[in-house]
Amino acid sequence: MKRPVLKLSLSLLLLAGCAPTALIPASAHVTPAAVAASPALDPAMERRIAAIVAGMTLEQKVGQMTQPDVRYITPDEVRQYYIGTVLNGGGAWPEMDKRSTVADWAAWADAYAEAALATDMTVKIPLLWGTDAVHGHNNVSGATLFPHNIGLGAAHDPDLIERIGRATARQVRATGVTWAFAPTLAVGENRRWGRTYESWSSDPAQVRAYGEAMVRGLQGGLTGDADVLATAKHYLGDGGTFNGVDQGQTRATREELLGRHGAGYLGALDADVQTVMISYSSWYDTAAGRDHGKMHGNRDLIAGVLKDQLGFDGLVVSDWNGIEQVAGCAKDRCAQAVNAGIDVFMVPEDWRAFIANTVADVREGRIPEARIDDAVTRILRVKMRSGLFDRPADASPLTGRAEALNAAALAREAVRKSVVLLKNDNAALPLRAGRKVLVVGASADSLSNQTGGWSLTWQGTENVNADFATGQTLLAALRQALGADNVVYSADGSGVEVSDFDAVVAVLGETPYAEYNGDVRFPTPVQHSLQHPADLAALQAVSGKGAPVVTVLYSGRPAYANDLINLSDAFVAAFLPGTEAAGLADVLVGGAHDFTGRLSFAWPGSACSTGDGPGNLVQFPRGYGLSYAAPAPVGRLPAPATPAACEGPDT
Ligand code: GLC
């Protein structure tokens, strides 16, 4: 079901902002007639949908539009309230056991799927289960976890992205789930943002290419046993908020908002993405001087641009309690968001009240029933397109199969390609097998720091290595590559004589976070050694003590680290590589694999420089990356004293 070329060429014109005459003038509310017809709808499918909708009560329709979290609804309540979809938010597992098996997950999904088909409706409607599989099926113990998007951006390899999508879809189908809340299409701007690592790049063109590839990988042919629905998120402008405040205000002209932050959606639409999730952020139009408020209430951009103008005919889903942020709304009621064009409401806990309030809003004329019918039509269309009406999710032969969680070889390749060599003075790298190596740094043996947020738990915290039940820390990988007897580990660099070793590997890292918990709020300087002083201490304990120091940094953002780089002979930006650190050892040891990673964000030259654009002090530009084949000396970098607080508005 490929979109006609005309549609996307029009889309490109409309969104790329290439026509300064503002093809979408600030006041535009585009009428459907202004755009090419939606992509080919299947007339037989549409007739089937219309007949089902015509036979549904208002309560059944609103139930279809409601998405509780599985922790707050039982399978029988799904039946009773005609619920159309559920999700497992980060940190929800079968029986709330983090180490549940894939068979446990599949049985859990089955219980809800069967309940949805046990309603008293004439035509039973299958359930859609959504999950955040954002770097592999990161909810499930035993699943291979891929590098987070910021590292994958450094690979500059859309084919790899598509293959990761395919592998992730297999992992998700093994658990009986058929909807992944991925990819994030944010064009990251300010590294203060706690979700920077969920963005592939600050380059809209790369986000567009990657968005298309990931949707293709996840969705495949839509109806296959290894296919899942993808989600283009978070529409629109999530990565562009002022000072990188998560869920904050994106200050941009309409052309910037659509052309820059909309780029990924063109790629996703090209790949026929079937669902779009709305952003918590708000939009302030800097050309018109107008605050448009929260995206969850923006009818012009949701119904007007996304649906009418770009012809998106899948379903739009709100974010977790996102509707409560719309002026005048609450967690359990928001006629404005329904009328804006949102079709599915992620109302994790207050779903009963939401159903009752929304039915009342329709009955009392605040929501046209035609809008409800359009939402349910879209939901049924997506379910039919994904084959759910013809073949239950658990019919896939992947269901319950633990081996489907394994994608270690692909993830190892992704790690090799996603790490960036920032410095390699005095040819400190590669390490040689058989040489004596001292490893320091708490992150060397921490799968948590290696995988970051959205890993087993929402925040990626409260995990021990054994919880992952797969993967390898960098310490373990180095022991394997160098010979265990040749590697000594001291987390803080104490108790050892550095000059006894041929080299030191210092593995430094952020501790995991997700969403706003990862924000570094203005005016706090963003400098790794300030936020993680123990890392600086460990590096100082070994630097200049008679052995070359190779530093590897795990970070969810381009991290100002000139002070750390100056204490190192070699420095590798490893971002958040996931469970397979063997991919790091592959490029650190022996030289069999060279570094190919190139930064997809500019790397800052000061603690108060937070973006790529003008006014920022950049140490290494987007596209930078050294290799063994193309070495270059870096020398001592400027590391002036960092101010107690940054001044002036961050760019
Ligand atoms: C979160 C995130 C979103 C995620 C959703 C469900 O708040 O913003 O990316 O898909 O909730 O977990």
Side-chain angles (χ1 to χ4, degrees), residues 101-241:
T101 66
V102 71
D104 297 333
W105 277 89
W108 201 29
D110 253 356
Y112 282 88
E114 285 166 10
L117 295 175
T119 66
D120 57 4
M121 292 174 71
T122 313
V123 178
K124 315 298 185 189
I125 300 176
L127 184 76
L128 253 184
W129 181 312
T131 191
D132 290 284
V134 296
H135 63 135
H137 198 350
N138 39 263
N139 306 278
V140 182
S141 177
T144 300
L145 302 189
F146 294 95
H148 269 294
N149 287 353
I150 188 172
L152 296 178
H156 297 280
D157 186 344
D159 173 69
L160 171 71
I161 298 305
E162 184 163 350
R163 287 184 287 133
I164 289 174
R166 284 281 71 201
T168 301
R170 287 174 55 84
Q171 295 178 324
V172 172
R173 289 304 299 269
T175 59
V177 174
T178 60
W179 183 9
F181 296 142
T184 294
L185 299 173
V187 179
E189 288 188 347
N190 190 312
R191 63 193 179 90
R192 289 179 174 281
W193 188 36
R195 303 192 76 165
T196 295
Y197 66 79
E198 296 185 64
S199 171
W200 284 308
S201 176
S202 58
D203 176 2
Q206 181 175 13
V207 173
R208 186 194 187 294
Y210 266 33
E212 179 174 356
M214 181 52 85
V215 170
R216 287 199 196 291
L218 287 168
Q219 293 192 163
L222 271 180
T223 59
D225 286 336
D227 298 341
V228 296
L229 294 167
T231 307
K233 74 180 188 181
H234 310 80
Y235 184 86
L236 183 59
D238 52 350
T241 58

Side-chain angles (χ1 to χ4, degrees), residues 87-90 132 181 184 195 198 233-234 247 277 280 319-320 346 454 458 515:
L87 84 146
N88 62 285
D132 290 284
F181 296 142
T184 294
R195 303 192 76 165
E198 296 185 64
K233 74 180 188 181
H234 310 80
Q247 306 186 8
M277 187 183 292
Y280 285 116
D319 203 335
W320 181 284
M346 194 184 294
W454 297 104
W458 175 43
E515 302 192 51

Side-chain angles (χ1 to χ4, degrees), residues 151 218 266 318 345 373 426 436 445 460 504:
L218 287 168
L266 286 184
S318 72
F345 291 80
D373 290 351
N426 318 313
K436 295 285 183 196
D445 199 30
V504 180

Side-chain angles (χ1 to χ4, degrees), residues 296-498:
H296 276 75
N298 193 315
R299 186 170 181 278
D300 168 32
L301 290 174
I302 299 173
V305 172
L306 179 64
K307 290 185 171 180
D308 294 347
Q309 197 163 322
L310 293 177
F312 175 65
D313 60 13
L315 69 83
V316 174
V317 59
S318 72
D319 203 335
W320 181 284
N321 285 326
I323 60 174
E324 72 171 332
Q325 297 189 19
V326 176
C329 287
K331 279 182 186 172
D332 59 10
R333 168 170 248 161
C334 192
Q336 187 182 342
V338 179
N339 292 332
I342 296 177
D343 306 303
V344 171
F345 291 80
M346 194 184 294
V347 183
E349 300 130 311
D350 304 276
W351 51 271
R352 286 181 191 78
F354 173 78
I355 293 170
N357 293 337
T358 304
V359 166
D361 280 341
V362 176
R363 295 232 159 91
E364 293 155 25
R366 290 182 290 274
I367 299 173
E369 184 147 8
R371 174 72 270 275
I372 299 294
D373 290 351
D374 172 55
V376 178
T377 295
R378 287 168 175 270
I379 294 165
L380 298 185
R381 183 182 296 144
V382 170
K383 291 183 176 181
M384 284 189 190
R385 281 174 173 170
S386 68
L388 268 184
F389 269 83
D390 305 319
R391 188 169 161 77
D394 67 1
S396 167
L398 292 173
T399 307
R401 284 183 45 196
E403 58 272 28
L405 297 180
N406 177 11
L410 176 60
R412 181 169 180 170
E413 174 193 349
V415 173
R416 282 198 297 270
K417 293 180 171 179
S418 65
V419 297
V420 182
L421 181 60
L422 300 184
K423 177 183 181 181
N424 188 24
D425 284 1
N426 318 313
L429 283 173
L431 303 171
R432 297 294 172 194
R435 298 288 177 81
K436 295 285 183 196
V437 172
L438 169 64
V439 177
V440 302
S443 296
D445 199 30
S446 168
L447 281 177
S448 284
N449 291 6
Q450 206 170 289
T451 54
W454 297 104
S455 300
L456 299 180
T457 62
W458 175 43
Q459 293 294 315
T461 53
E462 300 168 12
N463 296 319
V464 297
N465 286 349
D467 290 331
F468 290 84
T470 188
Q472 209 174 30
T473 63
L474 182 51
L475 176 62
L478 288 171
R479 282 179 167 144
Q480 193 166 18
L482 294 164
D485 296 343
N486 296 316
V487 176
V488 169
Y489 178 47
S490 166
D492 62 1
S494 67
V496 287
E497 180 45 62
V498 172

Side-chain angles (χ1 to χ4, degrees), residues 238-250:
D238 52 350
T241 58
F242 182 66
N243 275 346
V245 173
D246 187 43
Q247 306 186 8
Q249 185 181 69
T250 297

